[in-house]
Amino acid sequence: MPSKSSTKSKSQRQTKGSKARILDQRYTCPAEGCSRICRNTAGLTQHFRSQHTGDIQDFYYHQPAPPSPLLPHAPPSRSPSPSGFSLRPSSPLFDPYNDDDPMVGDAVKVGRLTRYFHKFLTGQKCSSTGEFLPPGTPPSPPSNCDTDDWHPFGSRLKFETADFLFRNVQMSADHINFLCRLWAMSLVKHNDNPPFRDHTDLYDTIDASKLGEIPWRSFSVKYNGPKPARSIPPWMGAEYDVWFRDPHLVVKNILARPDFKSELDYTPYRDYDENGVRQYENLFSGDWAWEQADIISQDPATHGSTFVLVILGSDKTTVSVATGLTEYYPLYLSIGNVHNNTRRARRNAVVLIGFLSIPKTNKTFSGDPNFRKFRRQLYHASLSSILQSLKPYMTKYEVVPFGDGYHRRVIYGIGPYIADYPEQVLLAGIVQGWCPRCLAFPDDLDTQSMQRTRHHNETLVQELPPGVLWDEYGTIADVVPFTNDFPRADIHDLIAPDILHQLIKGTFKDHLVDWVEQYLEKTHGKARAAQILDDIDRRIAVAAPFAGLRRFPQGRGFKQWTGDDSKALMKVYLPAIENHVPPDVVRAFRAFLEFCYYVRRNVITEKDFDDMDNALARFHRYRKVFVDSGVSMTLSLPRQHSLVHYKYLIRRFGAPNGLCSSITESKHIEAVKDPWRRSSRFNALGQMLTTNSRLDKLAACRVDFDARGMLHGDGLEKELALLEEGIRGAYYHSFPCSPSFLTTSARKRARTLPDLAQEIGAPTIIEETRRFLFSALRAHDPRLKYNIHIPIEECPRAPMKITVVNSAVSTFRAPSDNCGTGGLKRERIRSTPSWRNEAPRQDCAFLLTNESLPGTLSMDVARILAFFKFNLQGTVYECAVVHWYEYYSNERDDLTGMYIVQPMYRRDGTRHTAVVDVDTMVRGCHLLPVFGKDPVPEDMTCHQSYDSFDGYYINRFIDHHAFELA
């Protein structure tokens, strides 16, 4: 590996005397009976962790301090690898499926796909003693099938009350006591008792449940290494507590959940469509799980087993800034067998298993190398200790019950780790600014480079002094990743892609958006740049309302950004900067946004990689404008560099949306922030652990009661579904092919067609309704096929009495968006004269008008002026009055990549309207104005957006379904 020609490494500046002193220094392994001699402490640590795992903490904190001089060593050239090492490239060429692969087993049809399963790790069902069962053997009956056993609650009323008060509304103890007293006062007349006497009774009842009970445990770590004779730092005498729950029990609880039985993968597989194109979705569809199965199956005793991989995630989170910077370090666990959409939904597929310790010291010692070393070693030692209960079953199987009523032999493994870049640096043991996956130099990250591996790293540590490792490889010698304690685990190969911090909050918000502001200031000066930024803010603010769109009434000029804010800005930012920045800046944003939307798909195919490569190449080409203009000194940034690894990572781990840190970020609220707010703030951690235990018990009880059919038939299903919709997404088993109306008619709306024509300003609505009836009743008339004008005299008369509604609900499959676990999304399309008591709102929609044309051109865009329905001869017709838009061109705009449409008008200047069947609506459509060069008036609001411009972009970035549709 290369060195920078312009600067000498520290090792090159050492004297010959230093070299002689170091060569005489050797380190003998402290393990009893081992005579291994290592060249330095880093090598000794690597050897001990790989060969002796009996007492990790003792070895860690009794190591001698590393020698100060560095061993002279000629810096390696910038070649892929020293010493003849052959490393796999970070983005290897895809090896197409080979029918002769000895590991390929049975193939089955799954919808349009052909699925090939691994030949040996097949997830075969077995008995509780481990004997494989013959095909067709029924599952074991559940241990508790009593449909009237509500233990420990006693009744559904008490369970639903406890669940509602403690989990849903998070009611305080005092408020629970007050509510119980109110109940007691109202029920005493009927000689009845309230569900609970007070908050203590409620808490004790929840605590009495054995379902979901996994006790919290802890261990303490204290520095036990060499200490200075004077001025001992306070961190050296402190004890650091780590709280955790047994991950072995947590994983077994997840596998035993009956509501996950159809959402688990039991064996690695490969999916191909009818054209033989590989598909990547869940983690078990990627190459990494298959490779792990290949290694495990080398032992014939493992054949027929189920590979269960553990996904970890951790990230510090701050719960209070003003009152002492209170922060916690939660550790989360999930399993890779769970489908991505289930892991993203809030259904406890991601579980809090620990709170790591956060060593702190005063400013005097915060830069002490020994303190930083201790902090890194404490982190990895804690992770290793927490996971030790899984280690015995990573090479030999254990028999585990599953939620489908069967047992299976299980082999565990360490899977991908979800982390942002600072956490990745800590995990990989690298220097800040380097890539945790490959050996590219920080000053030129995007050059083709070889991937880091555990074996290569260990060899480097054995052979090279720490200074050379730091300078030339970006490796911290005294960090031994926790994965080294477990078989088949390589931290450099297990770092998951992080869409939230690498793409959305990193490259987009922290880099590109900030660079635009810097470019404007550098080009126009601060005064003029402020005026332009104000206009950009007004452009963002006037974006029309749309379902699920987070709006920016004051523009993007606020300080505290969240991931949702960045996602919302991505949807409306592109047209807002047009004509204020050079075209290449807009093209760079367009390419980056397209790349983001490709990698965030729920299913990614080999063909999608071509689109990703094209978008990434354009982004790399056009982003140079920021360097040429002097805005940025470098484009060699770790988070932008991560984009080059995404194709490789998708092939390894499936679609990245199942491993994004947004999953753990959202878990922070439920597992850390809300429990902290419910605590007394004094010694809050213990109270937070209790709260999490009770939440887990309530969730486990709900799953158990539901599996026994005890939560149906009492009339609460609809209300509970509404409560849960905001928590974990709704479930759908079927969906209509078109939007459906709400049953309630709108108040104070027209009741006849003439009144509606006057209300919405569409005088031809009666005539258009008659033409609609002609097309509905005489659909086979050849004149309709060729768009021949139908005389109005031939059209049936329209009924005058109608019912107007303010919205329609469209349900469609959009698994890449926030949706239910079935992949279905509900979207409300509105047409109302008063939206939030501010102004009328009339959304736009896609209407399918010509199926013979390709893609977007098969649909027309229209603005919904009104929804109404009427009854004619016993048939109910659901209609919409629409104002048509026409395409400006059949090609996308070259700069923004979006189609442009413009409203249609008749020769007399009136709007070109029509009455259409709601069955022709595909879904809602969001339009963004083509602003041109004129500034947006300061008094313009979002409600005027669709009435104030001549042309509009079809916003393909409003959500993932629209991106694929438009």
Side-chain angles (χ1 to χ4, degrees), residues 774-775 778-790 849-850 852:
F774 180 89
S775 62
R778 301 177 61 180
H780 299 292
D781 192 301
R783 291 175 293 180
L784 294 175
K785 181 179 179 180
Y786 298 102
N787 293 323
I788 298 175
H789 180 73
I790 308 295
T849 54
N850 193 342
S852 62

Side-chain angles (χ1 to χ4, degrees), residues 250-482:
V250 171
V251 172
K252 292 173 71 173
N253 274 3
I254 296 175
L255 295 175
R257 287 182 55 170
D259 57 329
F260 284 172
K261 63 183 179 182
S262 60
E263 299 169 20
L264 291 177
D265 291 320
Y266 302 103
T267 180
Y269 61 89
R270 297 169 178 170
D271 278 345
Y272 298 84
D273 65 13
E274 58 270 17
N275 299 317
V277 178
R278 179 85 177 267
Q279 317 276 308
Y280 300 91
E281 184 178 2
N282 299 311
L283 201 151
F284 266 47
S285 68
D287 293 334
W288 181 84
W290 190 282
E291 291 175 6
Q292 292 286 301
D294 289 349
I295 298 172
I296 294 171
S297 60
Q298 292 176 7
D299 180 3
T302 64
H303 291 185
S305 299
T306 298
F307 177 44
V308 175
L309 58 100
V310 175
I311 297 174
L312 298 173
S314 60
D315 184 25
K316 292 179 185 177
T317 182
T318 302
V319 295
S320 173
V321 176
T323 57
L325 191 61
T326 305
E327 57 182 355
Y328 294 97
Y329 209 157
L331 177 67
Y332 302 105
L333 178 146
S334 183
I335 59 173
N337 310 67
V338 172
H339 294 169
N340 285 352
N341 57 357
T342 305
R343 192 177 305 113
R344 295 198 307 270
R346 299 185 183 182
R347 296 181 56 197
N348 279 6
V350 179
V351 182
L352 175 72
I353 66 163
F355 281 94
L356 304 178
S357 185
I358 307 177
K360 294 182 180 180
T361 188
N362 51 36
K363 293 182 179 180
T364 304
F365 300 101
S366 60
D368 185 353
N370 289 323
F371 174 68
R372 294 199 298 266
K373 175 183 176 181
F374 171 76
R375 191 169 52 188
R376 291 190 291 261
Q377 292 180 337
L378 171 63
Y379 174 79
H380 286 280
S382 298
L383 290 176
S384 177
S385 297
I386 290 172
L387 298 172
Q388 284 300 312
S389 60
L390 289 168
K391 188 172 182 178
Y393 308 107
M394 291 183 178
T395 51
K396 296 181 180 179
Y397 68 80
E398 73 163 335
V399 180
V400 176
F402 280 68
D404 59 357
Y406 294 98
H407 288 73
R408 290 175 177 84
R409 300 177 178 181
V410 167
I411 301 287
Y412 298 106
I414 304 297
Y417 201 110
I418 302 173
D420 58 10
Y421 179 71
E423 192 91 356
Q424 292 176 2
V425 169
L426 181 59
L427 282 164
I430 63 168
V431 180
Q432 189 83 16
W434 289 72
C435 175
R437 300 199 63 88
C438 70
L439 292 164
F441 273 74
D443 59 353
D444 195 11
L445 282 172
D446 289 335
T447 56
Q448 182 69 25
S449 185
M450 308 306 291
Q451 180 161 315
R452 298 176 184 268
T453 66
R454 168 180 170 177
H455 178 56
H456 180 247
N457 190 70
E458 289 175 347
T459 304
L460 291 177
V461 171
Q462 289 282 354
E463 298 297 328
L464 300 179
V468 175
L469 291 173
W470 182 289
D471 292 335
E472 307 300 336
Y473 294 94
T475 299
I476 302 175
D478 54 31
V479 173
V480 182
F482 77 95

Side-chain angles (χ1 to χ4, degrees), residues 827-869:
E827 178 185 79
R828 192 178 300 274
I829 306 171
R830 300 183 185 274
S831 181
T832 174
S834 179
W835 169 244
R836 294 179 175 173
N837 296 322
E838 293 182 1
R841 173 174 168 179
Q842 296 170 328
D843 292 343
C844 294
F846 286 112
L847 277 71
L848 186 62
T849 54
N850 193 342
E851 297 185 38
S852 62
L853 293 177
T856 308
L857 298 179
S858 65
M859 300 176 292
D860 280 312
V861 176
R863 189 177 181 188
I864 312 300
L865 302 182
F867 289 112
F868 71 97
K869 57 184 177 181

Side-chain angles (χ1 to χ4, degrees), residues 113-227:
L113 303 176
T114 300
R115 177 166 294 177
Y116 295 88
F117 290 101
H118 194 273
K119 186 175 183 178
F120 297 114
L121 258 65
T122 55
Q124 191 170 341
K125 302 166 185 175
C126 67
S127 67
S128 59
T129 56
E131 290 82 13
F132 291 127
L133 300 175
T137 304
S140 303
S143 57
N144 183 10
C145 15
D146 188 352
T147 59
D148 197 29
D149 182 8
W150 293 94
H151 180 79
F153 298 95
S155 67
R156 180 175 183 180
L157 173 62
K158 295 187 68 173
F159 167 70
E160 297 288 9
T161 301
D163 192 48
F164 178 74
L165 296 180
F166 191 84
R167 186 174 64 93
N168 283 336
V169 300
Q170 302 178 16
M171 186 174 290
S172 68
D174 289 340
H175 289 173
I176 292 174
N177 291 339
F178 181 73
L179 180 62
C180 290
R181 286 197 296 271
L182 289 178
W183 277 335
M185 291 170 58
S186 63
L187 294 176
V188 67
K189 296 180 180 179
H190 305 283
N191 197 24
D192 201 355
N193 296 317
F196 300 99
R197 295 189 305 274
D198 51 25
H199 77 277
T200 303
D201 185 21
L202 186 147
Y203 294 164
D204 289 344
T205 303
I206 298 175
D207 293 338
S209 174
K210 299 300 181 183
L211 295 172
E213 183 177 42
I214 303 177
W216 287 92
R217 301 158 56 190
S218 70
F219 59 85
S220 297
V221 180
K222 184 177 181 180
Y223 177 79
N224 200 19
K227 299 178 181 179

